[in-house]
């Protein structure tokens, strides 16, 4: 049954409020015909368990999908690009479905075969929001698969990127193999070393000691030559670039430990330190695996092809057909429907164009175009159907050139972690201690020189520092992800922690997409006047009309006669005998000297100017508190491609000391970031659209705010779910705490090193002492870093 809220109902399918209470089926109310239709299909096929697993699991179906939208999937070239496998009986295809969000979605999508026998099997990858479908070739087509999914509310997202020739990406499992092998060998070497530990090196059975020694040597070979190989490679690369990274002293310690162990085992002078060497490699690999675990379902490197549609409707000799966007030529007459993207620069030939360029330029107000005007690629048509003639191919269009602009390729120099700097200092101190020990024993007892020097290099391996960093960063990445802040890698945490300046974009970043704050100034409107205005604005799809319509939210649907829409000015019509004009002041009053005022929509009923609506962007929840929090510790700025209609309001929020710039092109934004960096600032850029792409790349850390993290977003270092925007201040504070945690754990490791060095410099370091120190120091550091980083997260963020 539909849930009752006062006198209204919630849609049984999607949970939205039902404004039309006459839309119901089997005592269940629906917000629109689309939701009612989906329920009917599921009910008819016995799939209503879908509604039992989750409450109101569907997505609203208010926006109808155009009939024939997927006709391009009949094209053999497109089919060959999209289908993974096919024979004479069945085909296999994978679609991206951003609507997947709950267990009901999985259940329904994996029961598609109950809707049509042409579908053999369907499997959902929830993490990647993908569905893989196997279908009968003779009973079903690729187009029917897409249409079937769309019919039940899961329209597949198919972009130009999906049909590009690209290499098949395979998951690199080598680190898992290295880790598993190192763990196996480490455990067995430790077990075989127990007699050595418990006898304090005084075996009664010399043959057994020799046998265990060679067995340990055999087990250590794959650890030394395979599992530890990435440390040698990294160290060699850094030395070639004349830079000493943390892997260099670690590789040196592993090699010396292995070499000394071979010498002791072959010469019969000792058991070696193969247990310690294997353990070090094992724990370090765990740390790197933990840290490098990324969000495979997210892409931080998307390009414009993920934004472009796969096909476009072309009109030729009065007949419409869909062709791939890549085949679009100059002179083609294209047809653009409501909410469709314009794929190439074109001239408007037919229709009323209201182009939303907010994602490309940042301008939130749609731009209206008249016949004969050029319309650039990347904009989205809001309203009726357009006919346009292509004047530039896709590869030469404004959007493509914007994305491929050379200035956007000038990424910042790769950040060098403070861990490497700390490691370098540590290494020189280590060499100094080893040299001092060697010099001392050269003077007093030359036979202990080699033993002392190698012992120092073994004990003082900076693996503890590496463990501190990897486990701290790995745990922080996990905690950030749990709070819907998805960071590309550990170095981004450091960049955020070092930042002293935060630059915001406006539209879509600090404002809530598709939401507007509407207020009324003027004579008080009666309920009948509100109904009349509501009836008129419902005739238009202009965002201002939609905002007023949503604000009035009248359920009364009055007929409108003599409706006229004047592009760029407003509209008029007769409702219940009243002549109503809505739009700019000059249009409403008839006095041309009245200049348009951004964000104000005037209303005249008959001959009386009644007042005006004020439409403002609605800022994200908690924005004001966030700015207060950040302004105490950061330099703040706002650079927007939007107009300056809200300048006064933003100055009040950000303060007069903050830089606020409007009408900024993508190049202007990038140059602003560059100038800040030249002045010595570390900059975090927070944006959302293509117009921010250059600034996001240039900044020390680029964060994209997205209301749907699986939708298209420009290349960035981190993606923040829009619902967590108000938590940014806490996230930045937590990033700063990470560095302190690493340094704290490093101090703990220094204590272990001092204990080990006291034995090493005397030349008395035994395998037992090394075997005790190694696991204790590693485990205590792992426990400290993960425990403290979790506690700090709870203190700061929860």
């Amino acid at each position: 049954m539909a849930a009752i809220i006062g006198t209204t109902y919630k849609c049984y399918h999607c949970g939205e409020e039902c404004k039309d209470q006459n839309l119901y089926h089997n005592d269940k109310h629906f917000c629109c015909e689309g939701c009612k239709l989906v329920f009917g299909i599921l009910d008819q096929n016995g799939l209503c368990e879908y509604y039992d697993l989750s409450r109101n699991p569907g997505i609203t179906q208010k926006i109808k999908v155009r009939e024939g939208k997927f006709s391009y999937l009949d094209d053999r070239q497109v089919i060959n690009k999209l289908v993974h496998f096919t024979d004479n009986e069945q085909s296999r295809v994978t679609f991206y479905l951003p609507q997947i969000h709950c267990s009901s979605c999985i259940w329904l999508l994996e029961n598609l075969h109950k809707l049509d026998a042409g579908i053999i099997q369907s499997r959902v990858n929830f993490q990647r929001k993908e569905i893989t479908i196997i279908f009968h070739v003779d009973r079903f087509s690729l187009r029917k698969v897409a249409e079937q999914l769309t019919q039940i509310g899961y329209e597949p997202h198919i972009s130009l990127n999906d049909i590009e020739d690209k290499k098949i990406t395979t998951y690199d499992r080598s680190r898992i193999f290295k880790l598993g092998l190192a763990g196996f060998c480490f455990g067995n070497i430790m077990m075989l070393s127990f007699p050595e530990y418990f006898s304090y090196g005084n075996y009664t059975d010399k043959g057994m000691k020799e046998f265990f020694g060679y067995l340990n040597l055999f087990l250590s070979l794959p650890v030394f030559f395979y599992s530890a190989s990435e440390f040698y490679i990294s160290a060699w690369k850094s030395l070639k670039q004349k830079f000493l990274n943390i892997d260099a002293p670690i590789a040196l310690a592993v090699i010396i430990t292995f070499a000394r162990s071979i010498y002791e085992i072959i010469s019969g002078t000792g058991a070696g330190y193969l247990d310690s060497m294997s353990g070090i490699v094992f724990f370090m690999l765990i740390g790197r695996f933990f840290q490098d675990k990324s969000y495979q379902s997210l892409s931080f490197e998307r390009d414009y092809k993920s934004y472009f549609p796969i096909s476009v409707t072309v009109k030729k000799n009065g007949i419409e057909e869909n062709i791939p966007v890549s085949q679009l030529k100059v002179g083609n007459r294209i047809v653009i429907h409501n909410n469709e993207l314009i794929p190439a620069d074109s001239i408007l030939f037919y229709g009323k164009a209201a182009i939303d360029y907010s994602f490309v330029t940042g301008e939130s107000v749609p731009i209206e175009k008249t016949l004969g005007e050029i319309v650039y690629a990347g904009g989205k048509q809001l309203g009726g159907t357009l006919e346009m003639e292509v004047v530039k191919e896709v590869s030469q269009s404004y959007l493509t050139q914007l994305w491929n602009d050379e200035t956007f390729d000038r990424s910042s120099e790769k950040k060098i972690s403070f861990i490497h700097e700390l490691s370098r200092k540590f290494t020189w101190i280590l060499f100094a201690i080893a040299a001092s020990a060697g010099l001392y024993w050269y003077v007093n007892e030359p036979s202990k020189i080699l033993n002392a020097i190698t012992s120092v290099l073994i004990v003082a391996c900076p693996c503890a520092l590496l463990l501190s960093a990897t486990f701290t960063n790995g745990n922080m990445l996990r905690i950030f992800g749990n709070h819907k802040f998805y960071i590309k890698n550990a170095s981004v945490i450091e960049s955020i922690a070092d930042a002293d300046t935060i630059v915001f974009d406006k539209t879509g970043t600090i404002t809530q997409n598709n939401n507007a704050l509407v207020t009324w100034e003027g004579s008080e409107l009666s309920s009948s006047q509100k109904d009349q205005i509501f009836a008129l604005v419902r005739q238009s799809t202009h965002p201002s009309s939609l905002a007023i319509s949503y604000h009035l939210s009248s359920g009364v649907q009055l007929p409108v006669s003599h409706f006229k829409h004047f592009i760029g000015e407003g509209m008029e019509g007769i409702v219940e005998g009243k002549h109503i004009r809505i739009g700019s002041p000059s249009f409403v009053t008839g006095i041309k000297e009245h200049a348009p005022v951004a964000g104000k929509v005037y209303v005249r009923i008959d001959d009386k100017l009644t007042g005006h609506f004020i439409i403002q962007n609605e800022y994200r929840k908690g924005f004001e508190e966030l700015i207060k929090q950040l302004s105490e510790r950061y330099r703040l700025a706002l650079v927007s491609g939007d107009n300056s209609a809200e300048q006064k309001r933003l100055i009040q929020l950000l303060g007069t000391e903050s830089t606020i710039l409007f009408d900024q092109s993508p190049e202007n934004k990038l140059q602003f970031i560059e100038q800040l960096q030249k002045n010595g600032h570390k900059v975090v850029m927070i944006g959302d659209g293509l117009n921010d792409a250059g600034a996001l790349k240039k900044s020390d850390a680029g964060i994209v705010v997205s209301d749907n993290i699986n939708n298209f977003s420009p290349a960035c270092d981190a993606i923040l779910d829009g619902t967590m925007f108000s938590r940014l201040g806490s996230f930045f504070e937590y990033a700063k705490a990470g560095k302190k945690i690493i340094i704290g754990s490093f101090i703990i490791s220094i204590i272990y090193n001092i204990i080990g060095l006291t034995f090493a410099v005397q030349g008395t370091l035994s395998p037992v002492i090394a075997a005790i120190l190694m696991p204790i120091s590693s485990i205590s550091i792992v426990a400290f870093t993960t425990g403290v980083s979790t506690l700090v997260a709870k203190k700061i963020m929860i």
Side-chain angles (χ1 to χ4, degrees), residues 3-181:
I4 300 175
I5 305 174
T7 56
T8 62
Y9 295 93
K10 286 181 72 177
C11 177
Y12 185 73
H13 179 69
C14 70
E16 287 204 5
E17 186 178 323
C18 303
K19 292 184 178 177
D20 185 352
Q21 299 183 9
N22 295 318
L23 277 174
Y24 59 88
H25 179 74
N26 289 349
D27 294 333
K28 296 174 176 61
H29 286 257
F30 301 93
C31 66
C32 62
E33 287 288 353
C35 289
K36 182 182 172 185
L37 179 65
V38 174
F39 173 79
I41 294 170
L42 300 184
D43 187 32
Q44 188 178 357
N45 291 277
L47 292 171
C48 280
E49 190 179 336
Y50 173 67
Y51 299 102
D52 298 333
L53 298 173
S54 304
R55 191 173 184 180
N56 312 122
I59 306 293
T60 182
Q61 301 297 303
K62 288 179 179 174
I63 300 176
K64 293 181 181 178
V65 177
R66 177 174 56 85
E67 190 176 348
K69 181 175 182 178
F70 295 105
S71 60
Y72 63 89
L73 294 179
D74 290 330
D75 188 303
R76 179 48 57 186
Q77 289 184 20
V78 175
I79 293 173
N80 291 339
K81 293 279 186 180
L82 291 177
V83 170
H84 304 315
F85 168 82
T86 187
D87 55 21
N88 293 328
E89 296 182 356
Q90 55 184 242
S91 290
R92 179 190 180 106
V93 67
T94 298
F95 283 130
Y96 172 55
L97 306 180
Q99 305 88 347
I100 296 176
H101 68 285
C102 66
S103 56
S104 288
C105 299
I106 298 172
W107 182 85
L108 177 60
L109 291 169
E110 294 195 344
N111 282 281
L112 287 179
H113 59 278
K114 294 182 179 178
L115 287 174
D116 196 300
I119 295 176
I120 302 170
Q121 187 185 66
S122 52
R123 285 287 177 268
V124 172
N125 183 330
F126 184 76
Q127 189 181 19
R128 299 181 66 87
K129 296 185 183 297
E130 289 179 348
I131 183 171
T132 300
I133 298 174
I134 302 173
F135 59 95
H136 288 292
V137 177
D138 55 341
R139 299 186 208 170
F140 227 51
S141 66
L142 186 62
R143 176 180 174 177
K144 284 186 177 177
V145 172
E147 289 176 342
Q148 181 74 81
L149 289 168
T150 304
Q151 198 173 25
I152 58 172
Y154 294 90
E155 181 186 349
H157 178 82
I158 308 171
S159 69
L160 186 59
N161 197 44
D162 293 323
I163 61 169
E164 286 288 303
D165 291 326
K166 51 189 178 184
K167 295 179 181 177
I168 298 174
T169 54
T170 55
Y171 182 71
D172 184 8
R173 299 179 184 275
S174 61
R175 180 163 288 168
I176 295 177
F177 296 144
K178 289 176 182 176
L179 181 60
L181 195 58

Side-chain angles (χ1 to χ4, degrees), residues 110 261 296 375 554:
E110 294 195 344
S261 299
Q296 295 175 24
V375 182
S554 171

